[in-house]
Amino acid sequence: MSHYERDLFDMQELSETQVTNERPLPPKTFHLWLIAIPLCVAIIWSVTGLNITISRLLDAPSDAWAILRQMVPPGFAEVYERGAVGKIFESVYIAWIGTIIGALISLPLAFLAAHNVAPIWIRSPIRQLFNAIRAVPELILAVILIPVTGLGAWAGTLAIGLHSIGTLGKWACESIEDIDDGPVEATKACGGKWVSGMRWGVLPQVMPIVSSYWLFRFEINVRASAVLGMIGAGGVGSELVSQLSFRNFPAASAVLIMTMAVVLTIDTISAAVRRRIIKGAENTIDEESRTLEAITDLTGIRS
Amino acid sequence: MNDDLTASARPTKPKPRARSFLIAVLLLALTFWAAFKVSFDLSTFWAVWSNPIWAKFWPIPWDWVLTKENTFDPLIETLQIAVASTLVGCLLALPVSFAMSSLTTPNKVVYFFSRSIMNLVRAVPDLFWAKLLVTAIGIGAFAGAWSLTIFSLAVMVKLFSETVDAADPKPLEAARSSGAKHLPAVRTGVLPTVFPSYVAYSLYIFELNIRASVVLGLVGAGGVGRVIETQRQFFRFDRILGLLVIIFAIVWIIEQISVSLRKRLV
């Protein structure tokens, strides 16, 4: 084998293809078309439903640009006088209380849903409950709750709290399932009851990771509560909606910038605290699969 | 701190430091203040059940719900928004993700700007984008599709650029050492290894977009949320409940298909 061939050999081994001395045949392109054609059909079908005319498509960038230009410079003074800062803090408070409600309710439920510590007759209904809650977005929950509680921050808080039960419960339950069974057995061997096993065997193991999930959920909830204001459930969303309705673009951009600043600040602080909590925690296995779902939430769109 | 490891006695509990005590007090104070500000009301948990409003949610008027113009046309519009924005957003995300990864970025300037712009875009919640675009380019599905495109682009580049970061750099090195230019090197050295996760993430984004497109209509950006918003203003909660049942049944079916596809990919 020549030097070149040996290199080729190594490379082929690296990419785990079949080892031959000939140049490999290019893969057949049949499958590509099988995917490309449905994709094209899908995009044509979907675009036909959006009432897109050529003129609208061509005007959109200039329309957006016209508004963007009116947004500079942002009118901070005006929105400050209207109490936008208080509204933003209201969003943060909604997220905080919502997270606490979600955390306090989901934690005991998670123990009843984990397959290594709970019997099947209790855990399957609770898992179904988590799944059902997670399926309904906060906004829809708020739409249902507003007539019951009335407009205002409390509707948003309840909606966020309820929705958080689903995700927090699922995450906590997964981390309980990942634990080392030794401490639980040890408590049993000492004659401890089920509750003592949970308190002394499970809780200390999962608490770091679970509390970091709480914080993570708080970050998501800040975004969610900002949005909830748009339908009247308290927080900064209502401020943005009214400024945009009055076409007061400098004020709208000020609200937007302030919201972004608060969201980014909270994200950064919370991420730092979470890193601090997790450093030294043993239960970081399977972090990867959860990250995907976690980022779901991070983005404000929920799964 | 504790050198006395040989002691056989029960270890003493570490005393809480002044700082942790201070943090605890602060958090507790924040919680009480926040609870006060959101008019925390424990009685709601009980009072909620006796509220007469619940009677308005039942019975579901199926003959109203199961009609083409009330449910299925807006639902199809919702799906169209989700499909269009997923396809466009994910297609745009491919080059941007490569620009955002330190492994494949063409230069520092592009790297920095793509990263910071995308982070800023992601800091604005999805429905804020929808409302902004509704104001800018008019009420309807067009604005909704744009807002979801922007948002799925921002989410997709975050997910996918992390995958590109973690990709095996050796094929890229090999391509570069054989004299390939930047683009062909990325195309042959990195893209094949990350493409399966690209498709998987796209499907995942599709699931997110389906869910998000349901609520877009609440701010006037088209889809089935528009019907929910209208009925909400008429206080027809029975109709809303019927709509929600249909929506979540269909969303669930689509998600199951997408999830099973994703499982086969990765």
Side-chain angles (χ1 to χ4, degrees), chain A residues 1-51:
Chain A
M1 263 201 289
S2 72
H3 181 70
Y4 169 72
E5 272 170 342
R6 206 166 57 237
D7 270 2
L8 197 67
F9 184 86
D10 282 351
M11 268 172 66
Q12 279 169 342
E13 202 176 40
L14 220 150
S15 57
E16 288 175 0
T17 47
Q18 214 176 353
V19 180
T20 48
N21 283 331
E22 292 147 23
R23 190 179 175 140
L25 291 168
K28 285 179 185 160
T29 49
F30 173 73
H31 290 293
L32 197 71
W33 282 108
L34 208 65
I35 296 165
I37 290 171
L39 274 185
C40 289
V41 172
I43 200 157
I44 290 166
W45 169 75
S46 57
V47 165
T48 53
L50 304 179
N51 304 322

Short mmCIF file of all heavy atoms in Angstrom, two decimals, chain A residues 1-51:
data_model
loop_
_atom_site.label_atom_id
_atom_site.label_comp_id
_atom_site.label_asym_id
_atom_site.label_seq_id
_atom_site.Cartn_x
_atom_site.Cartn_y
_atom_site.Cartn_z
N MET A 1 0.84 -1.20 0.00
CA MET A 1 0.00 0.00 0.00
C MET A 1 0.87 1.24 0.00
O MET A 1 1.83 1.34 0.77
CB MET A 1 -0.90 0.00 1.23
CG MET A 1 -2.28 -0.54 0.93
SD MET A 1 -3.47 -0.01 2.11
CE MET A 1 -3.00 -0.96 3.54
N SER A 2 0.53 2.14 -0.84
CA SER A 2 1.29 3.40 -0.88
C SER A 2 0.91 4.26 0.32
O SER A 2 -0.06 3.97 1.02
CB SER A 2 1.00 4.16 -2.18
OG SER A 2 -0.29 4.69 -2.10
N HIS A 3 1.66 5.29 0.50
CA HIS A 3 1.37 6.20 1.61
C HIS A 3 -0.02 6.80 1.46
O HIS A 3 -0.82 6.83 2.40
CB HIS A 3 2.42 7.32 1.61
CG HIS A 3 2.21 8.28 2.71
ND1 HIS A 3 2.45 7.94 4.02
CD2 HIS A 3 1.77 9.55 2.71
CE1 HIS A 3 2.17 8.97 4.78
NE2 HIS A 3 1.75 9.96 4.02
N TYR A 4 -0.34 7.19 0.23
CA TYR A 4 -1.64 7.81 -0.04
C TYR A 4 -2.77 6.84 0.25
O TYR A 4 -3.78 7.18 0.88
CB TYR A 4 -1.70 8.28 -1.49
CG TYR A 4 -3.08 8.69 -1.91
CD1 TYR A 4 -3.66 9.86 -1.44
CD2 TYR A 4 -3.83 7.87 -2.75
CE1 TYR A 4 -4.93 10.22 -1.80
CE2 TYR A 4 -5.10 8.21 -3.13
CZ TYR A 4 -5.66 9.39 -2.65
OH TYR A 4 -6.93 9.73 -3.01
N GLU A 5 -2.54 5.60 -0.18
CA GLU A 5 -3.59 4.60 0.02
C GLU A 5 -3.81 4.32 1.51
O GLU A 5 -4.93 4.09 1.94
CB GLU A 5 -3.23 3.31 -0.71
CG GLU A 5 -3.73 3.31 -2.14
CD GLU A 5 -3.17 2.15 -2.93
OE1 GLU A 5 -2.16 1.56 -2.48
OE2 GLU A 5 -3.72 1.83 -3.97
N ARG A 6 -2.70 4.35 2.24
CA ARG A 6 -2.84 4.09 3.67
C ARG A 6 -3.65 5.21 4.35
O ARG A 6 -4.50 4.96 5.18
CB ARG A 6 -1.48 3.94 4.32
CG ARG A 6 -1.55 3.08 5.57
CD ARG A 6 -0.19 2.63 6.04
NE ARG A 6 0.68 3.75 6.31
CZ ARG A 6 1.86 3.89 5.72
NH1 ARG A 6 2.28 3.00 4.83
NH2 ARG A 6 2.61 4.91 6.01
N ASP A 7 -3.40 6.43 3.92
CA ASP A 7 -4.18 7.54 4.44
C ASP A 7 -5.66 7.38 4.13
O ASP A 7 -6.52 7.58 4.98
CB ASP A 7 -3.70 8.86 3.81
CG ASP A 7 -2.60 9.48 4.64
OD1 ASP A 7 -2.24 8.82 5.65
OD2 ASP A 7 -2.12 10.57 4.30
N LEU A 8 -5.89 6.99 2.89
CA LEU A 8 -7.27 6.79 2.46
C LEU A 8 -7.91 5.72 3.32
O LEU A 8 -9.04 5.84 3.79
CB LEU A 8 -7.27 6.36 0.99
CG LEU A 8 -8.59 6.49 0.26
CD1 LEU A 8 -8.95 7.95 0.14
CD2 LEU A 8 -8.49 5.86 -1.10
N PHE A 9 -7.11 4.67 3.55
CA PHE A 9 -7.58 3.57 4.37
C PHE A 9 -7.98 4.05 5.77
O PHE A 9 -9.06 3.76 6.26
CB PHE A 9 -6.45 2.54 4.46
CG PHE A 9 -6.81 1.30 5.18
CD1 PHE A 9 -7.41 0.25 4.50
CD2 PHE A 9 -6.55 1.16 6.53
CE1 PHE A 9 -7.75 -0.91 5.18
CE2 PHE A 9 -6.89 0.01 7.20
CZ PHE A 9 -7.49 -1.04 6.53
N ASP A 10 -7.10 4.85 6.35
CA ASP A 10 -7.39 5.38 7.69
C ASP A 10 -8.65 6.22 7.70
O ASP A 10 -9.49 6.12 8.58
CB ASP A 10 -6.22 6.27 8.16
CG ASP A 10 -5.07 5.42 8.64
OD1 ASP A 10 -5.30 4.20 8.76
OD2 ASP A 10 -3.99 5.97 8.88
N MET A 11 -8.75 7.05 6.67
CA MET A 11 -9.91 7.93 6.63
C MET A 11 -11.19 7.15 6.50
O MET A 11 -12.21 7.47 7.11
CB MET A 11 -9.80 8.90 5.45
CG MET A 11 -9.15 10.20 5.82
SD MET A 11 -8.84 11.17 4.39
CE MET A 11 -10.48 11.52 3.85
N GLN A 12 -11.10 6.08 5.71
CA GLN A 12 -12.32 5.28 5.54
C GLN A 12 -12.69 4.60 6.84
O GLN A 12 -13.86 4.52 7.20
CB GLN A 12 -12.11 4.25 4.44
CG GLN A 12 -12.28 4.85 3.06
CD GLN A 12 -11.83 3.91 1.99
OE1 GLN A 12 -11.10 2.98 2.25
NE2 GLN A 12 -12.28 4.18 0.79
N GLU A 13 -11.66 4.15 7.52
CA GLU A 13 -11.96 3.50 8.79
C GLU A 13 -12.57 4.50 9.75
O GLU A 13 -13.50 4.19 10.48
CB GLU A 13 -10.67 2.94 9.36
CG GLU A 13 -10.91 1.84 10.36
CD GLU A 13 -9.60 1.26 10.83
OE1 GLU A 13 -8.66 2.03 11.04
OE2 GLU A 13 -9.53 0.05 10.95
N LEU A 14 -12.06 5.72 9.66
CA LEU A 14 -12.55 6.77 10.55
C LEU A 14 -14.03 7.02 10.33
O LEU A 14 -14.80 7.19 11.27
CB LEU A 14 -11.76 8.05 10.25
CG LEU A 14 -11.35 8.88 11.44
CD1 LEU A 14 -10.07 9.58 11.11
CD2 LEU A 14 -12.42 9.84 11.81
N SER A 15 -14.42 7.07 9.09
CA SER A 15 -15.83 7.36 8.83
C SER A 15 -16.66 6.09 8.83
O SER A 15 -17.84 6.11 8.47
CB SER A 15 -15.98 8.09 7.52
OG SER A 15 -15.41 7.31 6.49
N GLU A 16 -16.03 4.99 9.20
CA GLU A 16 -16.73 3.72 9.38
C GLU A 16 -17.45 3.26 8.12
O GLU A 16 -18.54 2.68 8.17
CB GLU A 16 -17.73 3.81 10.52
CG GLU A 16 -17.04 3.86 11.87
CD GLU A 16 -18.00 4.07 13.00
OE1 GLU A 16 -19.21 4.17 12.72
OE2 GLU A 16 -17.55 4.09 14.15
N THR A 17 -16.88 3.52 6.98
CA THR A 17 -17.46 2.96 5.76
C THR A 17 -16.75 1.65 5.46
O THR A 17 -15.79 1.27 6.11
CB THR A 17 -17.28 3.92 4.57
OG1 THR A 17 -15.94 4.37 4.56
CG2 THR A 17 -18.22 5.08 4.66
N GLN A 18 -17.25 0.97 4.43
CA GLN A 18 -16.65 -0.31 4.07
C GLN A 18 -15.26 -0.07 3.50
O GLN A 18 -15.01 0.89 2.78
CB GLN A 18 -17.54 -0.95 3.01
CG GLN A 18 -17.56 -2.45 3.14
CD GLN A 18 -18.51 -3.05 2.14
OE1 GLN A 18 -19.22 -2.33 1.44
NE2 GLN A 18 -18.52 -4.35 2.07
N VAL A 19 -14.33 -0.95 3.85
CA VAL A 19 -12.95 -0.74 3.45
C VAL A 19 -12.69 -1.39 2.09
O VAL A 19 -12.78 -2.60 1.95
CB VAL A 19 -12.00 -1.32 4.50
CG1 VAL A 19 -10.56 -1.08 4.08
CG2 VAL A 19 -12.26 -0.69 5.83
N THR A 20 -12.44 -0.56 1.09
CA THR A 20 -12.06 -1.08 -0.23
C THR A 20 -10.92 -0.23 -0.73
O THR A 20 -10.69 0.87 -0.23
CB THR A 20 -13.21 -0.99 -1.24
OG1 THR A 20 -13.77 0.32 -1.16
CG2 THR A 20 -14.28 -2.02 -0.98
N ASN A 21 -10.25 -0.73 -1.73
CA ASN A 21 -9.19 0.07 -2.31
C ASN A 21 -9.70 0.98 -3.40
O ASN A 21 -9.00 1.86 -3.86
CB ASN A 21 -8.09 -0.84 -2.87
CG ASN A 21 -7.24 -1.38 -1.75
OD1 ASN A 21 -7.09 -0.72 -0.73
ND2 ASN A 21 -6.71 -2.58 -1.92
N GLU A 22 -10.95 0.72 -3.84
CA GLU A 22 -11.49 1.58 -4.88
C GLU A 22 -12.17 2.77 -4.25
O GLU A 22 -12.54 2.77 -3.09
CB GLU A 22 -12.52 0.81 -5.72
CG GLU A 22 -11.89 -0.29 -6.54
CD GLU A 22 -12.83 -1.47 -6.68
OE1 GLU A 22 -14.06 -1.27 -6.53
OE2 GLU A 22 -12.34 -2.60 -6.89
N ARG A 23 -12.32 3.76 -5.10
CA ARG A 23 -13.06 4.93 -4.65
C ARG A 23 -14.51 4.53 -4.42
O ARG A 23 -15.12 3.89 -5.27
CB ARG A 23 -12.99 5.98 -5.75
CG ARG A 23 -13.51 7.29 -5.26
CD ARG A 23 -13.42 8.31 -6.36
NE ARG A 23 -14.05 9.51 -5.86
CZ ARG A 23 -13.59 10.72 -6.06
NH1 ARG A 23 -12.51 10.90 -6.77
NH2 ARG A 23 -14.21 11.77 -5.57
N PRO A 24 -15.10 4.89 -3.28
CA PRO A 24 -16.48 4.47 -3.04
C PRO A 24 -17.44 5.14 -4.00
O PRO A 24 -17.22 6.28 -4.43
CB PRO A 24 -16.75 4.90 -1.60
CG PRO A 24 -15.74 5.94 -1.34
CD PRO A 24 -14.55 5.63 -2.16
N LEU A 25 -18.49 4.40 -4.36
CA LEU A 25 -19.50 4.97 -5.25
C LEU A 25 -20.28 6.04 -4.51
O LEU A 25 -20.50 5.91 -3.31
CB LEU A 25 -20.46 3.88 -5.71
CG LEU A 25 -19.87 2.85 -6.66
CD1 LEU A 25 -20.82 1.67 -6.79
CD2 LEU A 25 -19.59 3.45 -8.02
N PRO A 26 -20.67 7.08 -5.19
CA PRO A 26 -21.52 8.06 -4.51
C PRO A 26 -22.86 7.42 -4.16
O PRO A 26 -23.35 6.58 -4.91
CB PRO A 26 -21.68 9.18 -5.54
CG PRO A 26 -21.36 8.56 -6.85
CD PRO A 26 -20.40 7.46 -6.58
N PRO A 27 -23.43 7.80 -3.03
CA PRO A 27 -24.71 7.20 -2.66
C PRO A 27 -25.79 7.58 -3.66
O PRO A 27 -25.73 8.63 -4.29
CB PRO A 27 -24.99 7.79 -1.28
CG PRO A 27 -24.15 9.00 -1.21
CD PRO A 27 -22.96 8.76 -2.05
N LYS A 28 -26.75 6.69 -3.80
CA LYS A 28 -27.83 6.96 -4.75
C LYS A 28 -28.65 8.16 -4.28
O LYS A 28 -28.86 8.36 -3.10
CB LYS A 28 -28.74 5.74 -4.86
CG LYS A 28 -28.10 4.62 -5.66
CD LYS A 28 -29.01 3.42 -5.72
CE LYS A 28 -28.31 2.29 -6.40
NZ LYS A 28 -28.93 0.99 -6.09
N THR A 29 -29.09 8.93 -5.24
CA THR A 29 -29.82 10.15 -4.88
C THR A 29 -31.32 9.93 -4.83
O THR A 29 -32.07 10.86 -4.59
CB THR A 29 -29.52 11.27 -5.88
OG1 THR A 29 -29.69 10.74 -7.18
CG2 THR A 29 -28.13 11.82 -5.70
N PHE A 30 -31.75 8.69 -5.03
CA PHE A 30 -33.18 8.41 -5.07
C PHE A 30 -33.89 8.88 -3.81
O PHE A 30 -34.90 9.56 -3.85
CB PHE A 30 -33.38 6.90 -5.27
CG PHE A 30 -34.81 6.47 -5.15
CD1 PHE A 30 -35.72 6.77 -6.16
CD2 PHE A 30 -35.25 5.80 -4.02
CE1 PHE A 30 -37.04 6.39 -6.04
CE2 PHE A 30 -36.56 5.42 -3.91
CZ PHE A 30 -37.47 5.70 -4.92
N HIS A 31 -33.28 8.57 -2.66
CA HIS A 31 -33.92 8.91 -1.38
C HIS A 31 -34.07 10.41 -1.21
O HIS A 31 -35.03 10.88 -0.64
CB HIS A 31 -33.10 8.34 -0.23
CG HIS A 31 -33.17 6.86 -0.17
ND1 HIS A 31 -34.32 6.20 0.12
CD2 HIS A 31 -32.23 5.93 -0.39
CE1 HIS A 31 -34.09 4.91 0.09
NE2 HIS A 31 -32.83 4.71 -0.22
N LEU A 32 -33.09 11.13 -1.71
CA LEU A 32 -33.12 12.58 -1.59
C LEU A 32 -34.38 13.15 -2.24
O LEU A 32 -35.06 13.99 -1.67
CB LEU A 32 -31.87 13.16 -2.25
CG LEU A 32 -31.55 14.60 -1.86
CD1 LEU A 32 -31.08 14.63 -0.43
CD2 LEU A 32 -30.52 15.17 -2.77
N TRP A 33 -34.67 12.64 -3.43
CA TRP A 33 -35.86 13.12 -4.12
C TRP A 33 -37.12 12.74 -3.38
O TRP A 33 -38.08 13.49 -3.34
CB TRP A 33 -35.90 12.59 -5.54
CG TRP A 33 -34.96 13.36 -6.38
CD1 TRP A 33 -33.78 12.93 -6.89
CD2 TRP A 33 -35.10 14.71 -6.77
NE1 TRP A 33 -33.16 13.93 -7.57
CE2 TRP A 33 -33.96 15.05 -7.52
CE3 TRP A 33 -36.08 15.70 -6.54
CZ2 TRP A 33 -33.77 16.32 -8.04
CZ3 TRP A 33 -35.89 16.95 -7.08
CH2 TRP A 33 -34.75 17.25 -7.81
N LEU A 34 -37.06 11.58 -2.80
CA LEU A 34 -38.23 11.11 -2.05
C LEU A 34 -38.56 12.09 -0.92
O LEU A 34 -39.71 12.26 -0.54
CB LEU A 34 -37.92 9.73 -1.47
CG LEU A 34 -39.11 8.81 -1.27
CD1 LEU A 34 -39.72 8.46 -2.60
CD2 LEU A 34 -38.67 7.57 -0.53
N ILE A 35 -37.52 12.75 -0.41
CA ILE A 35 -37.74 13.73 0.66
C ILE A 35 -38.01 15.11 0.08
O ILE A 35 -38.88 15.84 0.54
CB ILE A 35 -36.52 13.76 1.60
CG1 ILE A 35 -36.39 12.41 2.29
CG2 ILE A 35 -36.65 14.85 2.63
CD1 ILE A 35 -35.06 12.18 2.94
N ALA A 36 -37.26 15.45 -0.96
CA ALA A 36 -37.34 16.81 -1.50
C ALA A 36 -38.71 17.11 -2.08
O ALA A 36 -39.24 18.22 -1.88
CB ALA A 36 -36.26 17.01 -2.56
N ILE A 37 -39.32 16.15 -2.76
CA ILE A 37 -40.61 16.43 -3.40
C ILE A 37 -41.70 16.70 -2.35
O ILE A 37 -42.38 17.73 -2.43
CB ILE A 37 -40.99 15.29 -4.36
CG1 ILE A 37 -40.06 15.34 -5.58
CG2 ILE A 37 -42.45 15.42 -4.82
CD1 ILE A 37 -40.17 14.18 -6.50
N PRO A 38 -41.86 15.85 -1.33
CA PRO A 38 -42.86 16.21 -0.30
C PRO A 38 -42.57 17.55 0.36
O PRO A 38 -43.51 18.29 0.68
CB PRO A 38 -42.74 15.07 0.71
CG PRO A 38 -42.16 13.96 -0.02
CD PRO A 38 -41.29 14.52 -1.07
N LEU A 39 -41.30 17.85 0.55
CA LEU A 39 -40.97 19.15 1.17
C LEU A 39 -41.45 20.30 0.30
O LEU A 39 -42.03 21.27 0.80
CB LEU A 39 -39.47 19.27 1.40
CG LEU A 39 -38.92 18.68 2.69
CD1 LEU A 39 -37.45 18.98 2.82
CD2 LEU A 39 -39.68 19.24 3.88
N CYS A 40 -41.20 20.18 -1.00
CA CYS A 40 -41.64 21.25 -1.91
C CYS A 40 -43.16 21.36 -1.90
O CYS A 40 -43.72 22.47 -1.84
CB CYS A 40 -41.16 20.97 -3.33
SG CYS A 40 -39.40 21.19 -3.52
N VAL A 41 -43.82 20.19 -1.94
CA VAL A 41 -45.28 20.20 -1.90
C VAL A 41 -45.75 20.87 -0.60
O VAL A 41 -46.64 21.71 -0.61
CB VAL A 41 -45.83 18.76 -2.01
CG1 VAL A 41 -47.33 18.76 -1.78
CG2 VAL A 41 -45.50 18.18 -3.37
N ALA A 42 -45.09 20.52 0.50
CA ALA A 42 -45.48 21.07 1.80
C ALA A 42 -45.34 22.58 1.81
O ALA A 42 -46.23 23.29 2.28
CB ALA A 42 -44.63 20.46 2.90
N ILE A 43 -44.26 23.07 1.27
CA ILE A 43 -44.05 24.52 1.35
C ILE A 43 -45.03 25.25 0.44
O ILE A 43 -45.57 26.30 0.82
CB ILE A 43 -42.58 24.92 1.08
CG1 ILE A 43 -42.31 26.31 1.64
CG2 ILE A 43 -42.23 24.90 -0.38
CD1 ILE A 43 -40.89 26.58 1.92
N ILE A 44 -45.32 24.66 -0.72
CA ILE A 44 -46.29 25.31 -1.61
C ILE A 44 -47.67 25.30 -0.97
O ILE A 44 -48.37 26.32 -0.92
CB ILE A 44 -46.30 24.61 -2.99
CG1 ILE A 44 -44.99 24.91 -3.72
CG2 ILE A 44 -47.48 25.10 -3.83
CD1 ILE A 44 -44.75 24.04 -4.90
N TRP A 45 -48.04 24.14 -0.41
CA TRP A 45 -49.35 24.03 0.23
C TRP A 45 -49.48 25.03 1.36
O TRP A 45 -50.49 25.72 1.50
CB TRP A 45 -49.54 22.61 0.77
CG TRP A 45 -50.72 22.47 1.66
CD1 TRP A 45 -52.02 22.44 1.29
CD2 TRP A 45 -50.70 22.35 3.09
NE1 TRP A 45 -52.82 22.31 2.39
CE2 TRP A 45 -52.04 22.26 3.50
CE3 TRP A 45 -49.69 22.33 4.05
CZ2 TRP A 45 -52.39 22.14 4.84
CZ3 TRP A 45 -50.04 22.20 5.37
CH2 TRP A 45 -51.37 22.11 5.76
N SER A 46 -48.42 25.12 2.18
CA SER A 46 -48.55 25.98 3.36
C SER A 46 -48.57 27.45 2.97
O SER A 46 -49.28 28.25 3.57
CB SER A 46 -47.42 25.70 4.34
OG SER A 46 -46.19 25.88 3.72
N VAL A 47 -47.80 27.80 1.95
CA VAL A 47 -47.75 29.21 1.58
C VAL A 47 -49.06 29.67 0.94
O VAL A 47 -49.48 30.81 1.12
CB VAL A 47 -46.53 29.46 0.65
CG1 VAL A 47 -46.65 30.79 -0.05
CG2 VAL A 47 -45.26 29.41 1.46
N THR A 48 -49.76 28.74 0.25
CA THR A 48 -51.03 29.13 -0.36
C THR A 48 -52.06 29.55 0.69
O THR A 48 -52.95 30.32 0.38
CB THR A 48 -51.63 27.98 -1.18
OG1 THR A 48 -51.70 26.83 -0.34
CG2 THR A 48 -50.82 27.69 -2.42
N GLY A 49 -51.91 29.03 1.91
CA GLY A 49 -52.90 29.33 2.93
C GLY A 49 -52.68 30.66 3.63
O GLY A 49 -53.49 31.08 4.43
N LEU A 50 -51.56 31.31 3.36
CA LEU A 50 -51.20 32.48 4.16
C LEU A 50 -51.59 33.80 3.51
O LEU A 50 -51.13 34.85 3.95
CB LEU A 50 -49.69 32.46 4.45
CG LEU A 50 -49.18 31.19 5.13
CD1 LEU A 50 -47.68 31.27 5.33
CD2 LEU A 50 -49.86 30.96 6.45
N ASN A 51 -52.41 33.75 2.49
CA ASN A 51 -52.85 34.97 1.80
C ASN A 51 -51.67 35.83 1.37
O ASN A 51 -51.66 37.03 1.58
CB ASN A 51 -53.76 35.84 2.68
CG ASN A 51 -54.94 35.07 3.16
OD1 ASN A 51 -55.49 34.27 2.41
ND2 ASN A 51 -55.34 35.29 4.40
#
